[in-house]
Amino acid sequence: MSLTETSTGLAPIPVTRLDQADPILLEQLLEVVGAVARKGAFTMGSELEAFESEFAAYCGSEHAVGVSSGTEAISLALRALEIGPGDEVIVPTNSFIATAEAVSWVGATPKLVDVDPDSHLLTAEAVAAAIGPRTRAIIPVHLMGSTVDLDAILDLAGEAGLRVIEDTAQAHGAYHRGRRVGSLGDVGCFSFYPTKNLGGWGDGGGIVTNDEELAARVKLLRSHGESPRYHHRIVGTTARLDALQAALLRVKLRHLDDRNADRRRLGAALRAGLAGTSVELPSPAFEGGDHVYHLFIVRSKQRDALRAHLEQHGVSSAVHYPFPIHRTEAYGPLPEGSLPVAERLAEEICTLPLFPTMSEDDVARVVAAVASFDSEE
Ligand SMILES: *Cc1c(COP(=O)(O)O)cnc(C)c1O
């Protein structure tokens, strides 16, 4: 059976869909691409500055700095905080590898810790157990779009004199007790990779912070330590957010709350539809937390059989992620059983389709495909 030929006779539902699926938005985006091209101003400049001030205001932070990717956002934040060789940074092992890579890239050591079996996220208990004499920072990851309960983690960090770097690459716009994620720690690090809740047309990233000095340092680091032109004050790199990406992101930022509202509505509909089936759902957001459904993840004891069945019924799926960071070749791998919760999750998790232009019909097809798996078992 080919990918376009399923038992339903309909085109398969993808896990996510990009801007070409939204023709009105696509027109607006093509218009700003044309405007930037005609101006011929591709790096730094007014589009970038405008995006930075609009994104800072959106997040409720004083400063935003656009950089070249989410991974660079974390690396540059760490460097700006002077975290490097000899330092340890606490990172949940259930994350995209970039969270740990950014730490390694600056010469520090990621201290990988296990996650909560219900929320799949970092907890204050895991952080408390991992703090040692070399610990300098904690990176809570708001994975899937689901917010980490930060209050106790921020308290621990305050007592121990540690920095908190929020990895908000999957949770743009999510609320945490009335504030936007990214604005609660010392610094919030975003990715604008195309599939993210706020995504451009290539790679991009950014940081938000209330610390003026930190923002200024990231600005220097992203562009050769240069200020003003040809005055190189510190050793930096090339890690700017392009003007084209900034212009696209300015348009998409205006739609972000509506798109996140769509994601929450679709997430609730999928949760309700799947409630009676064999798949397990992660716990909903804590009281005062949020879930902006970057990814809709379920658990199944027969994950691989479920995925094969879904594919036959025209429903795409994915696994985010098949290896916890400590079990990747790059990070050891540490022995099996080292961080057992994340290891069990990695064998059972399955990402189902969820994207803002998903229809009610699509939701019904996803639910029906899971339900028919159960009845065939
Ligand atoms: C996407 C992502 C990153 C890295 O962002 P890039 O822009 O791809 O470098 C970091 N952390 C998490 C949790 C992500 O999902």
Side-chain angles (χ1 to χ4, degrees):
M1 208 178 278
S2 82
L3 263 181
T4 49
E5 207 183 303
T6 65
S7 63
T8 59
L10 300 166
I13 304 170
V15 172
T16 193
R17 235 183 233 138
L18 298 178
D19 300 331
Q20 69 273 26
D22 189 339
I24 296 170
L25 178 67
L26 185 64
E27 267 321 299
Q28 296 174 11
L29 294 170
L30 288 169
E31 211 166 287
V32 301
V33 168
V36 171
R38 277 188 287 273
K39 252 203 293 191
F42 296 112
T43 55
M44 307 301 270
S46 61
E47 287 294 342
L48 177 60
E49 282 165 27
F51 171 67
E52 287 173 339
S53 74
E54 288 159 11
F55 192 61
Y58 176 86
C59 293
S61 291
E62 280 173 39
H63 310 278
V65 183
V67 299
S68 55
S69 73
T71 311
E72 279 293 357
I74 304 171
S75 283
L76 297 181
L78 288 162
R79 284 189 57 184
L81 292 166
E82 296 184 301
I83 293 169
D87 297 331
E88 251 175 35
V89 177
I90 297 171
V91 170
T93 192
N94 182 34
S95 184
F96 182 52
I97 193 169
T99 318
E101 273 179 319
V103 174
S104 304
W105 208 241
V106 302
T109 305
K111 170 82 181 164
L112 296 167
V113 302
D114 215 344
V115 293
D116 181 77
D118 299 317
S119 70
H120 305 189
L121 303 174
L122 184 68
T123 63
E125 291 69 38
V127 170
I131 294 175
R134 293 163 52 195
T135 311
R136 293 280 317 280
I138 306 160
I139 310 188
V141 183
H142 303 289
L143 201 70
M144 308 171 278
S146 184
T147 49
V148 176
D149 193 343
L150 286 179
D151 287 356
I153 292 174
L154 290 166
D155 286 347
L156 277 173
E159 284 158 23
L162 307 177
R163 301 296 199 151
V164 175
I165 299 163
E166 291 177 74
D167 181 338
T168 30
Q170 298 193 3
H172 317 66
Y175 280 106
H176 182 291
R177 301 195 171 91
R179 292 165 64 186
R180 302 274 194 190
V181 291
S183 70
L184 290 107
D186 292 280
V187 53
C189 297
F190 293 85
S191 165
F192 305 126
Y193 184 76
T195 59
K196 308 283 174 163
N197 287 31
L198 178 63
W201 287 0
D203 283 309
I207 63 115
V208 298
T209 183
N210 290 330
D211 181 338
E212 189 175 354
E213 230 173 277
L214 179 67
R217 251 184 108 69
V218 173
K219 275 190 177 169
L220 281 177
L221 288 167
R222 76 170 170 190
S223 192
H224 308 292
E226 188 180 55
S227 174
R229 191 93 175 135
Y230 299 122
H231 291 257
H232 301 282
R233 299 179 183 278
I234 56 173
V235 174
T237 187
T238 300
R240 297 175 292 258
L241 181 68
D242 291 335
L244 269 177
Q245 302 302 344
L248 292 164
L249 292 166
R250 288 183 71 196
V251 173
K252 292 188 71 179
L253 181 59
R254 297 200 283 272
H255 298 282
L256 179 56
D257 281 340
D258 286 346
R259 296 298 186 269
N260 277 344
D262 290 337
R263 288 178 183 272
R264 289 190 194 93
R265 174 179 51 77
L266 292 160
L270 280 168
R271 288 188 86 93
L274 294 170
T277 69
S278 65
V279 298
E280 260 181 72
L281 297 155
S283 55
F286 64 88
E287 183 80 37
D290 196 0
H291 199 329
V292 289
Y293 290 100
H294 172 61
L295 299 170
F296 188 88
I297 288 179
V298 299
R299 283 173 78 172
S300 168
K301 296 261 189 289
Q302 299 148 280
R303 190 261 313 273
D304 296 338
L306 171 66
R307 291 193 65 206
H309 176 91
L310 293 176
E311 189 180 345
Q312 271 175 19
H313 289 74
V315 174
S316 308
S317 67
V319 178
H320 294 91
Y321 299 93
F323 304 101
I325 297 172
H326 73 282
R327 294 287 294 156
T328 60
E329 200 181 329
Y331 280 98
L334 296 185
E336 205 174 329
S338 320
L339 300 168
V341 174
E343 288 168 34
R344 206 164 58 240
L345 287 176
E347 290 185 351
E348 297 181 0
I349 49 178
C350 174
T351 306
L352 298 180
L354 195 157
F355 44 88
T357 53
M358 193 171 178
S359 66
E360 274 171 42
D361 200 44
D362 291 334
V363 171
R365 277 173 64 194
V366 172
V367 170
V370 174
S372 68
F373 175 71
D374 292 352
S375 60
E376 283 173 23
E377 273 308 295

